[in-house]
Each structure stands twice: as structure tokens, then as C-alpha cells.
């Protein structure tokens, strides 16, 4: 527990918190429960990846759809993950298209593009994942285990 507190202090001092564009929301380490991320926290983790991928979420036509549910009882579409779609809508042309499908692991913050079967491994995300893992006690799965969980072949 002392290690977690020191890691949180280091991250706070370094200013490594996830800021949601256009709002004052941040992913606060103390708000991450041992049971894992909430849907909103997973969305904040996804925003780190979207920024890295240069997807401009400040564009009024861009939005995150989800998390998707697997059934009417509200179970997760992919157990252990929050699944989202990133959508661009052009109101003038009455069109929309999906920019990507993503899954965020609730226990580790692992992020995947589920269409490309691409796992994101970037410094800003790794820092956040370390905090999440410290709070949940779960480590990132091996590439093969995560590949199987996502359903990649």
C-alpha cells in the first residue's frame, strides 16, 4: 500500500492525470476502486489513445458511443472490458461513420482497437495502467491471453 501511495504522489507531482478535452474531469488514482474502472473512467483512458491516434475529439461531430452492452440486462459486451465506438457525424450531409472500435480492460486499462486487433502501448497509457494495476492488483495479460480475450485470431 505504501508503494501505491508513493506512485500516486509521483504521478500527481508529474501531472500525469487523464484530462478529458473540453472538461475538468480527470482520472484520479484514489477514485479507482479495487473492482476496476467505471465506464466513465474507461472512457477517459480511451481518450488518451484517441489523442495519440490524432483523433480530434474537440470536433463537435466526433463522439464516443458506448459502452456497448451485450444484452438487455446490461452485461458487458466483452466480459472484463468496456467496448466503445468512435463516431463522426456530418450533420450537413446527414452521414456518420465509425472511426474505430475500442475495448478498455476494466481491471488494467489495457486498450485495444478491436477491428485491427491492435494493442496500444504508449508511454502516457502505460503510466495510467500502472496506477490502475496498483489499485486493482491485476497485471496486464500476456499478448496471447489478451488477444484471446478480445477475440482476435
Amino acid at each position: 500500500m505504501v508503494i501505491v501511495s508513493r506512485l500516486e504522489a509521483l504521478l500527481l507531482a508529474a501531472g500525469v492525470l487523464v484530462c478529458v478535452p473540453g472538461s475538468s474531469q480527470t482520472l484520479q488514482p484514489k477514485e479507482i476502486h479495487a473492482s476496476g474502472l467505471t465506464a466513465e473512467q474507461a472512457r477517459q483512458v480511451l481518450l488518451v489513445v484517441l489523442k495519440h491516434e490524432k483523433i480530434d475529439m474537440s470536433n463537435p461531430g466526433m463522439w464516443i458511443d458506448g459502452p456497448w452492452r451485450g444484452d438487455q440486462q446490461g452485461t458487458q459486451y466483452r466480459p472484463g472490458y468496456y467496448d466503445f465506438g468512435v463516431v463522426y457525424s456530418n450533420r450537413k450531409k446527414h452521414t456518420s461513420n465509425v472511426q474505430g472500435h475500442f475495448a478498455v480492460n476494466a481491471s488494467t486499462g489495457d486498450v485495444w482497437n478491436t477491428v485491427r486487433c491492435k494493442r496500444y502501448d504508449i508511454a502516457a497509457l502505460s503510466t495510467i495502467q500502472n496506477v490502475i494495476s496498483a489499485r486493482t492488483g491485476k497485471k496486464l495479460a500476456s499478448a496471447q491471453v489478451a488477444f484471446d480475450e478480445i477475440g482476435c485470431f
Side-chain angles (χ1 to χ4, degrees), residues 29 32 41 76 105 143 148:
I32 299 169
Q41 290 169 331
Q76 290 175 314
N105 185 291
D148 292 343

Side-chain angles (χ1 to χ4, degrees), residues 2 5 9 35 41 46 50 53 69-70 92:
V2 172
S5 296
S35 58
Q41 290 169 331
L46 175 58
L50 298 178
E53 292 293 295
R69 298 294 176 198
K92 290 180 183 177

Side-chain angles (χ1 to χ4, degrees), residues 118-129:
K118 176 182 178 181
R119 185 183 213 177
Y120 290 94
D121 183 18
I122 55 177
L125 183 60
S126 295
T127 302
I128 294 163
Q129 290 168 335

Side-chain angles (χ1 to χ4, degrees), residues 101-143:
H101 295 264
F102 300 89
V104 179
N105 185 291
S107 297
T108 64
D110 196 10
V111 181
W112 285 78
N113 178 315
T114 58
V115 173
R116 292 188 193 151
C117 287
K118 176 182 178 181
R119 185 183 213 177
Y120 290 94
D121 183 18
I122 55 177
L125 183 60
S126 295
T127 302
I128 294 163
Q129 290 168 335
N130 287 337
V131 172
I132 295 166
S133 290
R135 299 294 288 179
T136 64
K138 308 282 184 183
K139 301 291 180 207
L140 286 177
S142 70

Side-chain angles (χ1 to χ4, degrees), residues 23-103:
S23 77
S24 61
Q25 293 178 323
T26 58
L27 181 60
Q28 299 288 341
K30 291 184 190 262
E31 293 177 4
I32 299 169
H33 298 287
S35 58
L37 300 172
T38 65
E40 183 55 35
Q41 290 169 331
R43 183 184 311 268
Q44 291 173 33
V45 171
L46 175 58
L47 284 167
V48 172
V49 170
L50 298 178
K51 183 177 180 180
H52 176 265
E53 292 293 295
K54 299 187 180 9
I55 296 176
D56 183 10
M57 295 306 295
S58 67
N59 182 321
M62 295 295 292
W63 53 283
I64 297 174
D65 182 36
W68 299 331
R69 298 294 176 198
D71 58 25
Q72 291 183 347
Q73 286 75 38
T75 58
Q76 290 175 314
Y77 176 75
R78 192 181 322 268
Y81 288 81
Y82 290 105
D83 282 81
F84 300 96
V86 176
V87 180
Y88 174 74
S89 294
N90 185 327
R91 295 173 203 249
K92 290 180 183 177
K93 294 182 180 180
H94 302 289
T95 61
S96 63
N97 60 37
V98 177
Q99 303 292 302
H101 295 264
F102 300 89

